[in-house]
Amino acid sequence: MISFNNWRALVRRCMAVLALGCASLGASADTYTQTRYPIVLVHGLLGFDALGPVQYFYGVPSELRAGGAVVYTASVSQSNSTEVRGEQLLKELQTLKARYGHDKFNLVGHSHGGNTIRYVAAVAPELVASVTTMGTPHQGSKVADAVASITSTTGTQGAVAAVVNGLSSVIATLSGSAGNPQNALASLKSLSTAGAADFNRRFPQGAPTSSCGSGPAVVNGVRYYSMGGTSVATNLLDVSDGFLVASSVFFGLEANDGLVSRCSNHWGQVLRDNYAWNHIDEINHVFGLRGLFSSDPVSVYRAHANRLKGQGL
């Protein structure tokens, strides 16, 4: 017969084994997004890293970190040229490398953030493991073309630029990046069809090799990926949908997310170009509102981090 003390020792041993098993399962679950190199999220036009508790990539950084990833959110000018924003990001990466010893980074950019990270990968490929663009106007945006044409024709370009610069400065102040210079006209030029063509000529790494096709997956040791959406009005409760419905008219019958056409979001390896998202859904805003049956943006970012992990990145 087993004595009470032996029973107690046996129970303790079983509990220890159970706890060890649970800890092992937890550790396994917590490594799903644990990439080799840190993930850096880069915002687009009029974006921010965070406004108080509200993240630009809503809910994404915390979920990536929960899976084991090291995540940073960049703080570049809300409105400026791709090159200026790119130089700002480059300095941030150099600072992170010096401070924490990181060798390379997985860069993820939304909208103009995608062009921004491409610049860094082109001028400093030794710092970049991968480039992933989401809803980026690689071939320019017809909305930018329309805004430039309308404001130029009506003589309101200066006034509109002043308003955008003012809004950019307010967002910069609220997000703790007030020192970054703002230049709405430079941003408009970068996002236009002509501006994008000039940028692509100078920085072609990852460019599609055919019309609306894919580009090389690896250039100078850097992996290139792209994704985007092709829906506009996705949720009646989302206040941003009305603006995107209005801006989508400039695309005619061409599939778009309200600001960027399907073919324009192509760069490098095209993972998917037709998610049922609009331009704001691509970053899980406004506050997670999206189409009822559309993919969860946070899950897509998590799955991509796991893809990078599988590539040894």
Side-chain angles (χ1 to χ4, degrees):
M1 179 176 291
I2 301 177
S3 67
F4 174 75
N5 287 335
N6 287 339
W7 270 112
R8 185 167 62 180
L10 180 60
V11 169
R12 284 177 176 174
R13 192 172 297 114
C14 289
M15 291 179 66
V17 171
L18 180 61
L20 181 61
C22 290
S24 297
L25 287 174
S28 177
D30 287 343
T31 62
Y32 183 73
T33 60
Q34 190 173 325
T35 53
R36 177 181 178 183
Y37 302 109
I39 296 173
V40 181
L41 302 172
V42 184
H43 65 76
L45 178 68
L46 295 178
F48 47 87
D49 51 355
L51 289 177
V54 181
Q55 302 161 322
Y56 178 84
F57 291 86
Y58 188 66
V60 174
S62 56
E63 284 299 311
L64 293 179
R65 291 182 181 119
V70 174
V71 182
Y72 300 104
T73 54
S75 179
V76 298
S77 290
Q78 281 62 36
S79 58
N80 216 313
S81 70
T82 300
E83 292 84 351
V84 168
R85 285 164 50 93
E87 282 295 320
Q88 292 169 351
L89 177 60
L90 178 58
K91 289 180 181 178
E92 284 197 34
L93 299 182
Q94 290 169 336
T95 297
L96 290 172
K97 178 180 180 179
R99 183 174 298 170
Y100 302 111
H102 302 307
D103 294 325
K104 294 185 178 183
F105 301 88
N106 290 304
L107 306 181
V108 179
H110 173 247
S111 193
H112 199 187
N115 309 99
T116 304
I117 64 177
R118 277 180 48 204
Y119 173 85
V120 174
V123 302
E126 71 280 0
L127 280 178
V128 183
S130 69
V131 161
T132 303
T133 64
M134 176 68 81
T136 293
H138 294 292
Q139 309 304 327
S141 170
K142 291 183 178 180
V143 177
D145 293 342
V147 170
S149 177
I150 293 171
T151 56
S152 178
T153 300
T154 58
T156 58
Q157 195 166 81
V160 172
V163 171
V164 175
N165 285 335
L167 179 59
S168 297
S169 296
V170 169
I171 296 173
T173 299
L174 294 177
S175 62
S177 57
N180 289 331
Q182 309 297 338
N183 189 332
L185 291 181
S187 182
L188 184 65
K189 181 179 180 181
S190 288
L191 295 171
S192 69
T193 300
D198 178 60
F199 182 77
N200 294 341
R201 177 184 57 79
R202 291 180 289 123
F203 306 103
Q205 295 83 354
T209 55
S210 62
S211 178
C212 205
S214 295
V218 182
V219 182
N220 295 332
V222 179
R223 284 194 171 270
Y224 285 83
Y225 301 96
S226 61
M227 293 181 271
T230 53
S231 294
V232 182
T234 60
N235 193 301
L236 292 176
L237 300 178
D238 192 335
V239 296
S240 67
D241 279 22
F243 165 76
L244 294 173
V245 168
S247 61
S248 69
V249 302
F250 297 111
F251 295 95
L253 298 178
E254 186 178 11
N256 67 93
D257 66 4
L259 289 175
V260 179
S261 68
R262 180 178 71 86
C263 292
S264 190
N265 73 44
H266 287 208
W267 203 263
Q269 180 181 348
V270 181
L271 298 175
R272 183 173 174 181
D273 64 357
N274 64 344
Y275 280 104
W277 301 333
N278 61 33
H279 200 67
I280 306 302
D281 295 335
E282 291 162 357
I283 51 173
N284 199 37
H285 266 298
V286 173
F287 302 113
L289 292 174
R290 64 180 193 279
L292 183 61
F293 301 108
S294 66
S295 302
D296 177 8
V298 176
S299 294
V300 170
Y301 282 99
R302 276 175 47 82
H304 185 56
N306 182 256
R307 178 183 292 111
L308 297 175
K309 175 186 175 182
Q311 293 285 352
L313 304 176

